[in-house]
């Protein structure tokens, strides 16, 4: 739609999958109680692309157009009238607006400060859930539709992969323009006056261009990360924002603790890349890992937890009555207690040929970007756990065939029964049990893999264009070396693993299950030895760890009064 059309107001855009619900009169009254009523005139700008917006706008009368801005100028993409809520999830989290909003028919709006939405939800829980659900759906639509920033680069370039992973893991709407496959890539670069050798580049709103930015620079531009200049000591630092870390953030902040949470990559951890979790309590129809962790992130912020990404801990030292952590980027966080929830990543595959293809088409996660890169080509997934199974199901939506390579003699050895049944019934997934990969073949990119049946020794060459690896786990614990005790693989030792004996019978100290060797530091989730590798278990451990933190703070004379 053009912005320079006839004077009559354009038609309202129909609702799509409850993304733009029409609020009732009672719900509008609730919002007006927390906001300010304002008159509007045609042409009034409520917010522009790239601006931070500290208010949520609701249309009482008249109409407001949503405006996209790109290299060709501005265009009207949606129109919303009476009872419609404007904005999207990122704006609530301090990210700049992906679209602008301009009045196309005079009327009235209500402007509610974003910080008041928690009060709105407490007054009317149904309204609060309606708003959150609408924003979550809009965020998914923006991601699926390729809205937001543009990432231009080759699929074979490590920095392109890095930027795509950062955008995907943080649920940032974006469109990838692949230099290898997109026919419009060269024209786009020409219009931006960028040479192919200078890619990858990121283009934000209003044509702001960044040549191969670091994750930290991009996060700052997008409002994800701010400088940590506060020198005060917080009650609790949570390292890792996966399921365990998010649960600790929510329960800690709701208990009245001053909580800071940092993660090296994104809110949600690896769980956020899971296409569907069907065995999570309370969601009989299943829930995507992205929605589950997005909801948890919003909830943590609502209770006052400060969540910062990307922010990797590089050093940890004891400073008497508190701990001091050094972050990349020269920031510091000081805290009286720590919960280590930094998780684990899948191990690299130890086979000949891996190094040649690892930056091209060997992957350690399966998101929409990887699925887009593979298209309909055959792919292989190696691993026998739930993550491998969920990846196979996700990739089978588009790939002609997905080979699932499992080392165990049967599919259900380490995988949930419901998922194994789903895989067996999917004709596009070919399960190969007691099978291991032996070699990768190809020139510039992977063309086939050689696998071996470990029972009879027979070898088979499979023609595939990508390999997805979900084997084992490597704990993200290097920053803890010399601070707490780790096992030979780097997992954090906790609880009875640390108990010592005096006379061969009685332990000197009975540690709680999540207590590390250093008082005041606790561990939860996959980084801990003996952890149950399930989302629900990780969240449970995060909640338990907060209870132990409260006990510890009380023991050092810093009991926190619960709200």
């Amino acid at each position: 739609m053009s912005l320079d059309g006839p004077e009559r107001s354009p038609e309202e855009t129909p609702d799509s999958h409850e993304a733009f619900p029409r609020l009732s009169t009672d719900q509008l009254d609730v919002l007006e109680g927390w906001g300010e009523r304002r008159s509007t005139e045609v042409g009034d700008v409520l917010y522009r692309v790239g601006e931070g917006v500290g208010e949520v706008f609701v249309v009482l009368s008249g109409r407001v157009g949503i405006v996209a801005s790109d290299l060709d100028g501005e265009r009207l993409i949606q129109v919303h009238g009476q009872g419609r809520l404007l904005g999207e999830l990122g704006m609530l989290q301090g990210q700049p607006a992906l679209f602008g909003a301009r009045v196309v028919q005079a009327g009235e709006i209500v402007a509610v400060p974003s910080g008041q939405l928690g009060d709105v939800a407490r007054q009317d829980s149904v309204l609060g859930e309606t708003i959150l659900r609408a924003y979550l759906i809009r965020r998914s639509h923006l991601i699926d539709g390729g809205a937001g920033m543009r990432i231009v680069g080759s699929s074979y370039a490590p920095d392109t992969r890095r930027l795509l992973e950062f955008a995907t893991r943080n649920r940032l709407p974006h469109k990838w323009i692949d230099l290898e496959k997109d026919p419009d890539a060269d024209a786009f670069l020409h219009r931006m006056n960028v040479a192919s050798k200078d890619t990858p580049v990121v283009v934000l709103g209003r044509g702001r261009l960044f040549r191969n930015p670091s994750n930290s620079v991009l996060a700052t531009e997008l409002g994800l990360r701010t400088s940590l200049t506060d020198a005060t000591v917080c009650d609790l630092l949570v390292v890792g924002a996966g399921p365990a870390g998010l649960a600790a953030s929510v329960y800690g902040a709701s208990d009245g603790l001053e909580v800071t949470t940092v993660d090296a990559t994104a809110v949600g951890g690896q769980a956020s890349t899971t296409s569907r979790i069907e065995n999570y309590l309370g969601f009989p129809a299943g829930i995507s890992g992205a929605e589950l962790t997005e909801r948890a992130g919003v909830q943590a912020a609502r209770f006052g937890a400060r969540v910062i990404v990307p922010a990797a801990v590089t050093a940890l030292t004891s400073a008497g009555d508190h701990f001091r952590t050094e972050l990349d980027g020269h920031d510091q966080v000081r805290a009286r207690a720590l919960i280590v929830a930094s998780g684990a990543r899948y191990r690299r595959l130890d086979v000949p040929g891996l190094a040649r293809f690892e930056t091209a088409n060997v992957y350690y996660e399966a998101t929409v970007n990887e699925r887009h890169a593979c298209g309909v080509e055959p792919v292989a997934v190696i691993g026998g756990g739930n993550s491998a199974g969920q990846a196979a199901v996700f990739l089978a939506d588009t790939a002609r065939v997905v080979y699932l390579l499992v080392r165990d003699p049967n599919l259900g050895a380490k995988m949930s029964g419901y998922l194994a049944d789903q895989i067996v019934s999917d004709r596009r997934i070919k399960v190969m049990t007691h099978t291991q990969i032996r070699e990768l073949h190809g020139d510039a990119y992977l063309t086939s893999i050689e696998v071996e049946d470990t029972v009879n020794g027979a070898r088979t060459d499979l023609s595939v264009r990508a390999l997805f690896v979900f084997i084992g786990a490597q704990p993200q614990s290097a920053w803890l070396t010399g601070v707490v005790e780790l096992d030979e693989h780097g997992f954090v030792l906790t609880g009875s693993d640390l108990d010592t004996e005096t006379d061969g019978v009685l332990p000197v100290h009975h540690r709680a299950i999540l207590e590390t060797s250093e008082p005041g530091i606790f561990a939860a989730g996959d980084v801990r030895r003996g952890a149950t590798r399930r989302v629900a278990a990780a969240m449970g451990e995060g909640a338990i760890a907060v209870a132990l933190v409260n006990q510890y703070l009380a023991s050092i004379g810093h009991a926190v009064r619960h709200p």
Side-chain angles (χ1 to χ4, degrees):
M1 286 181 277
S2 171
L3 290 174
D4 301 319
E7 292 186 3
R8 70 181 184 85
S9 174
E11 293 296 321
E12 187 176 37
T13 303
D15 187 17
S16 175
H17 301 93
E18 302 180 20
F20 294 98
R22 199 177 303 281
L23 304 181
S24 69
T25 301
D26 290 343
Q27 290 174 327
L28 293 174
D29 288 343
V30 171
L31 290 168
E32 190 171 353
W34 293 99
E36 177 186 23
R37 182 186 286 250
R38 299 175 188 171
S39 298
T40 60
E41 299 294 336
V42 174
D44 286 351
V45 175
L46 303 184
Y47 50 85
R48 292 183 171 86
V49 176
E51 289 184 346
V53 185
E55 296 175 309
V56 172
F57 298 98
V58 185
V59 181
L60 295 179
S61 61
R63 290 180 180 173
V64 176
I66 304 301
V67 180
S69 177
D70 53 30
L71 297 179
D72 297 319
E74 293 186 338
R75 68 185 190 281
L76 197 62
I77 59 172
Q78 293 173 348
V79 176
H80 301 292
Q82 190 273 334
R84 292 278 184 90
L85 183 78
L86 307 180
E88 64 96 22
L89 186 65
M91 293 165 60
L92 297 184
Q93 300 171 329
Q95 298 169 23
L98 296 172
F99 303 104
R102 181 180 300 178
V103 177
V104 295
Q105 184 184 71
E108 287 186 308
I109 61 170
V110 168
V112 182
S114 300
Q116 299 294 327
L117 285 186
D119 298 314
V120 171
R122 280 188 286 272
Q123 179 178 343
D124 187 330
S125 60
V126 174
L127 174 58
E129 174 61 23
T130 298
I131 294 172
L132 177 57
R133 176 173 168 76
Y135 280 169
L136 290 170
I137 294 172
R138 291 179 203 181
R139 173 52 65 102
S140 293
H141 285 183
L142 290 172
I143 292 171
D144 293 342
M149 62 183 173
R150 299 293 186 260
I151 298 175
V152 189
S154 168
S155 57
Y156 302 134
D159 281 318
T160 300
R161 295 270 293 271
R162 170 182 58 81
L163 290 167
L164 288 170
E165 179 188 11
F166 177 74
T168 302
R169 293 282 291 273
N170 282 283
R171 298 280 290 166
L172 298 173
H174 65 279
K175 181 178 181 180
W176 172 28
I177 300 176
D178 187 355
L179 294 182
E180 309 299 332
K181 297 179 180 179
D182 197 315
D184 299 324
D186 289 339
F188 187 90
L189 289 177
H190 180 74
R191 294 173 67 187
M192 298 300 300
N193 196 29
V194 174
S196 297
K197 64 181 179 62
D198 293 329
T199 59
V201 297
V202 177
V203 183
L204 302 182
R206 298 183 177 179
R208 292 181 299 151
L209 185 142
F210 297 85
R211 288 175 166 82
N212 195 20
S214 67
N215 289 357
S216 294
V217 167
L218 188 56
T220 300
E221 291 295 327
L222 293 171
L224 293 179
R225 179 174 177 174
T226 56
S227 179
L228 296 171
T229 57
D230 189 356
T232 61
V233 180
C234 66
D235 296 316
L236 173 62
L237 172 64
V238 180
V239 181
L246 286 172
S249 304
V250 169
Y251 284 99
S254 66
D255 275 356
L257 300 178
E258 184 182 352
V259 179
T260 296
T261 302
V262 299
D263 193 282
T265 305
V267 172
Q270 291 187 10
S272 65
T273 66
T274 303
S275 57
R276 204 77 184 160
I277 303 173
E278 296 191 47
N279 60 350
Y280 192 79
L281 184 66
F283 293 90
I287 185 171
S288 72
E291 181 178 349
L292 181 65
T293 54
E294 273 184 336
R295 283 177 172 270
V298 171
Q299 194 173 16
R302 172 188 164 189
F303 283 119
R306 180 169 62 166
V307 182
I308 302 166
V309 293
V313 176
T314 56
L316 171 64
T317 56
S318 176
D321 63 345
H322 66 275
F323 300 96
R324 183 174 64 246
T325 57
E326 304 286 339
L327 307 180
D328 57 347
H330 311 293
D331 285 324
Q332 288 187 0
V333 177
R334 298 194 297 165
R336 294 180 180 88
L338 265 78
I339 293 178
V340 179
S342 44
R345 288 208 165 194
Y346 295 107
R347 293 201 314 267
R348 295 178 71 249
L349 193 64
D350 185 17
V351 295
L354 177 70
R356 292 163 52 201
F357 309 115
E358 200 164 28
T359 60
N361 43 357
V362 174
Y363 305 101
Y364 293 87
E365 60 185 21
T367 71
V368 290
N369 283 322
E370 287 78 30
R371 189 169 69 176
H372 170 72
C374 296
V376 301
E377 298 292 337
V379 302
V381 176
I382 179 169
N386 278 5
S387 294
Q390 289 161 345
V393 171
F394 178 68
L395 294 167
D397 281 344
T398 54
R400 285 196 302 269
V401 59
V402 176
Y403 297 102
L404 179 56
L405 313 178
V406 182
R407 183 175 57 182
D408 295 303
N410 62 79
L411 185 60
K414 297 176 181 176
M415 188 180 297
S416 297
Y418 80 90
L419 184 56
D421 292 341
Q422 188 176 353
I423 289 170
V424 170
S425 64
D426 193 322
R427 295 181 179 179
R428 292 192 177 190
I429 302 176
K430 297 188 180 301
V431 180
M432 302 177 68
T433 55
H434 44 78
T435 298
Q436 289 188 298
I437 188 167
R438 294 306 185 196
E439 196 165 352
L440 280 63
H441 301 291
D443 295 320
Y445 54 87
L446 181 69
T447 57
S448 67
I449 58 175
E450 188 175 336
V451 299
E452 179 182 341
D453 186 316
T454 57
V455 173
N456 58 28
R459 292 202 174 192
T460 306
D461 197 62
L462 302 177
S463 177
V464 298
R465 293 298 179 268
L467 176 64
F468 293 82
V469 181
F470 298 92
I471 58 171
Q474 181 177 342
Q476 304 299 292
S477 61
W479 58 281
L480 289 167
T481 302
V483 179
V484 301
E485 291 191 34
L486 311 174
D487 72 4
E488 65 274 19
H489 302 294
F491 289 97
V492 179
L493 295 175
T494 58
S496 61
D497 287 338
L498 292 165
D499 287 346
T500 57
E501 296 182 344
T502 54
D503 58 1
V505 178
L506 297 176
V508 171
H509 174 57
H510 286 287
R511 288 180 172 85
I513 186 173
L514 305 180
E515 186 179 358
T516 72
S517 59
E518 177 68 23
I521 300 180
F522 306 86
D526 290 353
V527 73
R528 187 179 69 83
R529 187 168 85 171
T532 302
R533 305 195 187 284
R534 291 287 188 272
V535 171
M539 288 187 167
E541 288 191 6
I544 294 170
V546 169
L548 299 176
V549 166
N550 281 321
Q551 293 175 14
Y552 169 76
L553 292 177
S555 73
I556 63 172
H558 190 76
V560 176
R561 181 175 59 85
H562 291 192

